[in-house]
Amino acid sequence: MASGNTAPPPPASLPRIVAASLIGTTIEWYDFFLYGSAAALVFNKLFFPDSDPLVGTLLSFLTYAVGFAARPLGALVFGHYGDRLGRKKLLVLSLVLMGGATFAIGLLPTHATVGSAAPLLLTALRLVQGFALGGEWGGAVLLVSEHGDARRRGFWASWPQTGAPAGQLLATGVLSLLTAVLSDDAFGTWGWRIPFLLSGVLVLVGLWIRLSVDESPVFKEALERSQARRAQADEQPPLVSVLRHHWRDVLVAMGARMAENISYYVITAFILVYATTSAGVSKQTALNAVLIGSAVHFAVIPAWGALSDRVGRRPVYLLGAAGVGLWMFPFFALVDTGSFGYLILAVTVGLVLHGAMYAPQAAFFAEMFATRMRYSGASIGAQFASVAAGAPAPLIATALLSDYDSSTPIALYVIAAAVLTLVAVAFARETRHRDLGRIADEDGEPSGTGPAAEARTR
């Protein structure tokens, strides 16, 4: 077992580590959200032109959901090698894969040029995006969590989480700018490609920063112990160890993700469809509302993370889940007014409440798992849930709107997810005082449960 006395990095190095994680997650989420926004706005016409407009939107959201299907595979592969080889190497690989796939989407021929091959190529690149993102999140938050100390871990680990609203902000901002300066015809013909091609430049910047940081002392110690066990033929693969010792924690993480994931994609992706088709709002207006909400979201996430250091991960997470559930009916009522001000209010409040779940999530999930299986455990818990939560959320919401022509079933869908998350987090143990260097049981009691673990959290 690690001593738990590993010194935290010098003050100057932690911000650099945070920056390396944040720049990577921002770029990867930019790539991911750019696809979601394009799926809502133009992909139905470019890749599924023979379908009814709403059916075309459903089909484009289906390719969007395919990316989520690849995320568990990315979590398994990146988690396994990230626990064996290190967080940094795998984070560099995930950035290259994601950026390369996004750049290639910007070069794709459309249905008008190559027919049915166009959506097939789009789907293949979406799978690469999903695979890369499945490995990115766990490594990025662990790189920060394992470098810092328990006292402010929630705050520092929340910064990679701001990569999601930062990526959303960047993607929506670029699209909003282009739709403002280009005609609908120009945007649909060639303008939509520009944001995807910009990803190539962003990846070069991200690699330059990410290659400058080192592995955490906590991981290095765990790697030495792991190599010694492997030499004695006594080391289990990380996935086996996770399923043996941490299966309850994986289930808690999956349940915790349901409301967080579903509400986010309803508020930021589906809203582009709902506001423009049911509320009569222009694409530009809907994009600007998401843009403003994402800016506020970015600002509040570190504040929620800091609060979780003071009162605990669970209370903040429970507040967010309950708040999102209660906000859904007011959310759609405000959007239905068609007022830009009310649309901003609806999106912003929804994202602030979402931030109460998303901010402590990084530290919360990291603190559940032992070092030698932390990348695998956190990634599996987060990404397997995304298949049932974020992947079908815009698709289900669009289908419900098509079938019922009402926002009520969509609100009930998000509320049901919030109830599931409340139950999962209510059964979780508080983790904020855990020393990541000491959560490293080798063959005995799993670190996330039991009296020994409880003793370490006091």
Side-chain angles (χ1 to χ4, degrees):
M1 183 177 291
S3 67
N5 296 322
T6 303
S13 69
L14 188 54
R16 186 174 71 247
I17 292 159
V18 170
S21 291
L22 174 56
I23 189 69
T25 54
T26 298
I27 292 167
E28 298 224 20
W29 282 115
Y30 165 80
D31 293 346
F32 209 74
F33 290 141
L34 180 60
Y35 190 102
S37 297
L41 296 174
V42 295
F43 279 178
N44 58 336
K45 301 183 186 76
L46 296 172
F47 293 94
F48 307 99
D50 297 332
S51 304
D52 171 85
L54 198 56
V55 174
T57 301
L58 279 168
L59 290 172
S60 62
F61 272 145
L62 187 59
T63 65
Y64 176 73
V66 163
F68 286 84
R71 283 165 69 169
L73 179 60
L76 291 172
V77 173
F78 280 80
H80 175 84
Y81 288 104
D83 283 328
R84 287 290 179 90
L85 303 176
R87 285 67 164 119
K88 176 181 171 178
K89 295 181 179 70
L90 275 296
L91 285 174
V92 168
L93 177 60
S94 71
L95 188 59
V96 171
L97 285 174
M98 175 65 91
T102 304
F103 186 82
I105 289 173
L107 300 174
L108 274 182
T110 62
H111 188 279
T113 306
V114 296
S116 59
L120 292 177
L121 291 169
L122 182 68
T123 302
L125 291 172
R126 182 60 176 169
L127 284 168
V128 176
Q129 280 191 323
F131 178 78
L133 190 59
E136 162 69 22
W137 180 84
V141 300
L142 294 187
L143 197 65
V144 176
S145 297
E146 292 178 344
H147 270 91
D149 65 310
R151 189 174 60 87
R152 301 193 69 198
R153 185 180 300 126
F155 171 73
W156 288 115
S158 71
W159 278 100
Q161 299 292 77
T162 64
Q168 178 78 67
L169 195 63
L170 194 56
T172 308
V174 171
L175 284 171
S176 182
L177 176 63
L178 288 171
T179 56
V181 300
L182 297 177
S183 66
D184 285 348
D185 214 28
F187 182 76
T189 304
W190 56 268
W192 67 272
R193 298 181 183 275
I194 295 173
F196 289 92
L197 296 175
L198 281 175
S199 181
V201 178
L202 295 174
V203 167
L204 293 177
V205 175
L207 284 174
W208 175 67
I209 296 175
R210 190 160 273 186
L211 287 168
S212 69
V213 301
D214 199 7
E215 295 289 356
S216 71
V218 168
F219 175 76
K220 288 179 179 178
E221 289 184 8
L223 183 61
E224 289 175 7
R225 292 192 304 272
S226 177
Q227 288 171 339
R229 284 193 303 275
R230 282 205 295 271
Q232 299 169 6
D234 165 2
E235 168 83 350
Q236 291 182 326
L239 175 60
V240 174
S241 297
V242 167
L243 297 179
R244 178 182 173 189
H245 295 307
H246 287 279
W247 61 271
R248 290 183 184 85
D249 297 313
V250 169
L251 291 177
V252 166
M254 291 176 67
R257 284 275 281 173
M258 299 305 288
E260 178 269 305
N261 229 213
I262 289 172
S263 65
Y264 188 77
Y265 290 107
V266 167
I267 293 168
T268 60
F270 171 71
I271 193 63
L272 299 177
V273 175
Y274 184 82
T276 54
T277 59
S278 295
V281 174
S282 70
K283 285 189 289 190
Q284 182 69 41
T285 300
L287 282 168
N288 287 342
V290 174
L291 192 68
I292 293 168
S294 295
V296 176
H297 195 211
F298 179 91
V300 300
I301 284 177
W304 285 123
L307 183 62
S308 78
D309 286 326
R310 296 178 64 86
V311 304
R313 318 296 182 218
R314 291 173 69 251
V316 177
Y317 212 113
L318 290 168
L319 173 65
V324 160
L326 292 171
W327 184 243
M328 276 302 104
F329 280 111
F331 172 82
F332 283 109
L334 289 169
V335 175
D336 285 338
T337 66
S339 161
F340 181 51
Y342 284 143
L343 184 59
I344 292 172
L345 179 63
V347 173
T348 301
V349 173
L351 288 178
V352 167
L353 293 168
H354 171 270
M357 293 181 283
Y358 200 55
Q361 188 179 96
F364 191 30
F365 288 9
E367 290 159 348
M368 289 181 184
F369 301 97
T371 303
R372 66 188 175 91
M373 61 191 84
R374 186 168 292 134
Y375 201 146
S376 295
S379 296
I380 290 168
Q383 303 307 336
F384 273 71
S386 70
V387 175
L395 189 64
I396 290 173
T398 304
L400 290 171
L401 179 64
S402 177
D403 289 345
Y404 296 97
D405 195 26
S406 168
S407 62
T408 298
I410 305 163
L412 292 174
Y413 166 53
V414 179
I415 290 168
V419 171
L420 183 57
T421 292
L422 287 169
V423 171
V425 177
F427 279 96
R429 285 187 168 90
E430 181 55 59
T431 62
R432 71 183 170 114
H433 291 307
R434 287 182 179 170
D435 183 339
L436 294 187
R438 297 189 65 187
I439 308 176
D441 295 316
E442 309 301 350
D443 297 301
E445 185 178 68
S447 61
T449 58
E454 281 298 294
R456 285 195 295 272
T457 65
R458 297 191 186 103

